[in-house]
C-alpha cells in the first residue's frame, strides 16, 4: 500500500515538473531569502539600491564583494546600517573623527557594519532581524569619505 502511494506521489511530481508547475510549486513553498550579495567596484558604486528583509528570517546575512583592484586606502568599501535619519550625521562624523577604516565602533546609531575591504576582497555581516522594526526606514552606505552619496541604499523589513 505504502509503495503504491509513493508511486502515485512520484507520478504527480513528474507530471508537475513536466508541465513546469513543479517550479511554481517549489517557489510557493520556499523559505524566505535571508541573504543578499552586494557587488561593489572601483567606480565608487555597488549594484544593490534596496534590500527587503522578511520578518520570517531570524538572521539576515549581508555579503559585500569588491570586484575592483584598488586598495582600501584609496577605494575602500564597507556596508554600514543606520536608521535613515541618522545616516548623514554618521557619514559625516567618520571623516572628522579620522577613524581607522572610517567607522566608530562605539557609535550607538550604527546598527551593523562590515570591515572595510579592498578590491578582490569579500566581507559579511549578520543582522539580528528581531532588532529591526517593520515600518522603520533604514539606510545602508559605505562610510569611506565621500562614498555615501553614491553608495547607499534603502533597507526595509516586511512581515
Ligand atoms: Co566605498
Amino acid at each position: 500500500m505504502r509503495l503504491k502511494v509513493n508511486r502515485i506521489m512520484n507520478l504527480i511530481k513528474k507530471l508537475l515538473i513536466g508541465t513546469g508547475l513543479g517550479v511554481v510549486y517549489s517557489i510557493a513553498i520556499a523559505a524566505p531569502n535571508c541573504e543578499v550579495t552586494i557587488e561593489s567596484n572601483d567606480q565608487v558604486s555597488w549594484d544593490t539600491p534596496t534590500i527587503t528583509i522578511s520578518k520570517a528570517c531570524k538572521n539576515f546575512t549581508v555579503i559585500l564583494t569588491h570586484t575592483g583592484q584598488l586598495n582600501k586606502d584609496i577605494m575602500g568599501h564597507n556596508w554600514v546600517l543606520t536608521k535613515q535619519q541618522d545616516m548623514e550625521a554618521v557619514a559625516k562624523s567618520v571623516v572628522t573623527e579620522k577613524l581607522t577604516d572610517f567607522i566608530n565602533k562605539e557609535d550607538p546609531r550604527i546598527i551593523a557594519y562590515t570591515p572595510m575591504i579592498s578590491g578582490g576582497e569579500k566581507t559579511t555581516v549578520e543582522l539580528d532581524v528581531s532588532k529591526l522594526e517593520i515600518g522603520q526606514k533604514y539606510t545602508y552606505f559605505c562610510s569611506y569619505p565621500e562614498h555615501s552619496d553614491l553608495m547607499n541604499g534603502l533597507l526595509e523589513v516586511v512581515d
Side-chain angles (χ1 to χ4, degrees):
M1 183 62 194
R2 189 172 181 142
L3 257 174
K4 207 171 169 190
V5 170
N6 280 343
R7 272 186 67 186
I8 291 166
M9 286 306 287
N10 277 335
L11 191 66
I12 291 170
K13 221 161 112 186
K14 270 183 198 158
L15 279 170
L16 284 172
I17 289 164
T19 56
L21 282 171
V23 176
V24 175
Y25 179 71
S26 307
I27 291 168
I29 60 154
N33 184 15
C34 301
E35 183 183 296
V36 70
T37 298
I38 302 170
E39 193 179 295
S40 64
N41 56 42
D42 280 343
Q43 281 75 51
V44 195
S45 71
W46 57 29
D47 64 356
T48 309
T50 60
I51 296 174
T52 303
I53 299 178
S54 166
K55 260 285 183 193
C57 297
K58 191 175 177 286
N59 296 302
F60 189 89
T61 307
V62 176
I63 301 158
L64 175 67
T65 66
H66 188 331
T67 61
Q69 281 160 19
L70 299 172
N71 190 271
K72 68 177 181 179
D73 296 338
I74 52 168
M75 190 53 72
H77 299 317
N78 64 358
W79 187 90
V80 182
L81 181 68
T82 65
K83 286 181 178 171
Q84 191 177 38
Q85 67 260 32
D86 293 333
M87 176 201 159
E88 212 181 308
V90 172
K92 271 185 188 155
S93 73
V94 295
V95 181
T96 52
E97 290 169 27
K98 292 194 169 56
L99 303 161
T100 308
D101 281 355
F102 304 104
I103 197 91
N104 177 358
K105 293 173 184 176
E106 309 300 318
D107 190 331
R109 295 170 298 184
I110 295 173
I111 298 162
Y113 66 94
T114 69
M116 190 73 69
I117 56 171
S118 301
E121 291 181 336
K122 176 180 169 177
T123 185
T124 297
V125 65
E126 195 116 317
L127 309 177
D128 179 351
V129 178
S130 72
K131 289 183 178 159
L132 301 173
E133 301 158 41
I134 292 170
Q136 171 67 52
K137 284 197 166 76
Y138 298 94
T139 308
Y140 55 90
F141 59 98
C142 172
S143 70
Y144 189 96
E146 290 170 48
H147 282 199
S148 64
D149 283 349
L150 295 161
M151 302 182 77
N152 61 65
L154 278 178
L155 181 146
E156 62 170 359
V157 183
V158 296
D159 235 336

